[in-house]
Each structure stands twice: as C-alpha cells, then as structure tokens.
C-alpha cells in the first residue's frame, strides 16, 4: 500500500517540477521580451530626439552660416567663416545619427568589441557573486546594528 502511495507522490512531484521549470522558462522569456521592448522604445526616443534637435539646429546653422558669410563678404574678413566649421561638424553628426547610418556603424563596432576585445569589458574584481553580495550585506547589517 505504501509503495503505491509513494509511486503516486513521485509522479506528482515530477509533474510539479516540470511545471515549475516550464513556468520559470516562460517568466524568463517574458522578462527578455519586456527588456527588448524597453530597449527598442528608448532607441526610438533617442532617434526621435536627434531628428527633432536636427530641425532646430539646422535652422540655427542655416541662419548663422548665411549671416557669417554675408558678414565675411561685406567686411572682407574671412575670419567670420571660422565658426561655420565646428557648426558643420555638429550638424553632420546629428544628421548621421537621425537619418544616416551612425547607429548601424555603432552596432557593428559594439559587436566587434564584444567578439575581439572581451577583456576590456571585464568588471574590476571580476563578476559579482552571491557570496560577495552576502558579505557586503552582512557587513552593512552589522554596521546598522552597531549604531
């Protein structure tokens, strides 16, 4: 009689363990999906911000370039054209970020770093472990308990 009862318990326990594994996997997949959705939304906001900034900066750049060029011609001083150079770099960068291929180039470079320069990504003192966290937690709890 005890054998039948124990066999049934073992089967139920196995089914319960399979359910827990499946549930943990489903929860992890949902977390990964949510994190990816948040990342995509943040990237979309960054691109949208860059495009919006480009509109304002483009207007400023156009007016400044026109006025500086006019001033350089009227006063016959080419030094007035010097500010156009850094402004053009900023304008080009923002255009590339908003409408160009800057993000693809950054992604490619990041993938290259992940593949070939892994040592540059290592944390000081290595990866955080449960034991190291517990050590800090115990020290902090002793600190607060002493006060």
């Amino acid at each position: 009689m005890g054998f039948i009862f124990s066999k049934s318990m073992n089967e139920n326990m196995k089914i319960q363990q399979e359910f827990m594994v499946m549930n943990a996997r489903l929860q992890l997949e949902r977390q990964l999906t949510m994190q990816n959705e948040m990342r995509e939304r943040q990237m979309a906001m960054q691109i949208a911000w860059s495009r919006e900034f480009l509109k304002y900066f483009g207007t400023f750049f156009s007016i400044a370039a026109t006025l500086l060029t006019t001033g350089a011609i009227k006063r016959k001083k080419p030094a007035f054209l010097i500010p156009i150079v850094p402004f053009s770099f900023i304008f080009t960068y923002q255009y590339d970020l908003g409408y160009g291929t800057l993000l693809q180039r950054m992604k490619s470079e990041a993938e290259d770093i992940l593949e070939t320069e892994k040592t540059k990504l290592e944390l000081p003192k290595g990866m955080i472990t449960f034991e190291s966290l517990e050590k800090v937690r115990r020290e902090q709890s002793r600190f607060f308990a002493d006060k």
Side-chain angles (χ1 to χ4, degrees), residues 1-135:
M1 181 84 174
F3 175 73
I4 295 172
F5 183 70
S6 128
K7 185 177 179 183
S8 173
M9 287 289 287
N10 286 341
E11 287 177 12
N12 285 340
M13 193 170 187
K14 185 177 180 182
I15 291 170
Q16 184 69 20
Q17 286 175 340
E18 289 173 359
F19 174 76
M20 289 172 62
V21 167
M22 183 184 71
N23 199 22
R25 180 182 174 147
L26 183 61
Q27 184 178 4
L28 179 62
E29 287 176 356
R30 285 179 177 152
Q31 287 176 348
L32 291 172
T33 301
M34 183 183 68
Q35 287 175 350
N36 191 52
E37 284 287 320
M38 293 300 295
R39 183 193 61 80
E40 286 177 352
R41 290 174 187 201
Q42 288 172 344
M43 290 296 296
M45 284 297 294
Q46 180 183 1
I47 293 168
W49 179 88
S50 180
R51 289 179 179 178
E52 195 63 27
F53 179 80
L54 184 64
K55 291 175 189 173
Y56 287 96
F57 188 77
T59 303
F60 165 74
F61 178 70
S62 300
I63 293 169
T66 304
L67 292 175
L68 289 169
T69 304
T70 305
I73 292 170
K74 281 187 177 181
R75 300 206 178 164
K76 296 183 180 172
K77 292 185 179 178
F80 282 126
L81 298 175
I82 292 174
I84 293 176
V85 174
F87 287 155
S88 65
F89 279 103
I90 296 169
F91 181 79
T92 304
Y93 173 80
Q94 286 302 134
Y95 181 83
D96 197 19
L97 182 61
Y99 296 100
T101 60
L102 178 63
L103 290 175
Q104 287 87 2
R105 293 192 316 268
M106 289 170 53
K107 179 183 168 200
S108 175
E109 184 67 24
E111 288 172 351
D112 186 53
I113 290 168
L114 286 169
E115 290 175 11
T116 61
E117 302 177 44
K118 203 74 161 163
T119 57
K120 291 185 179 180
L121 304 174
E122 292 175 2
L123 294 171
K125 295 186 176 183
M127 185 70 150
I128 297 172
T129 62
F130 177 76
E131 290 79 20
S132 65
L133 287 174
E134 277 298 298
K135 181 181 175 185

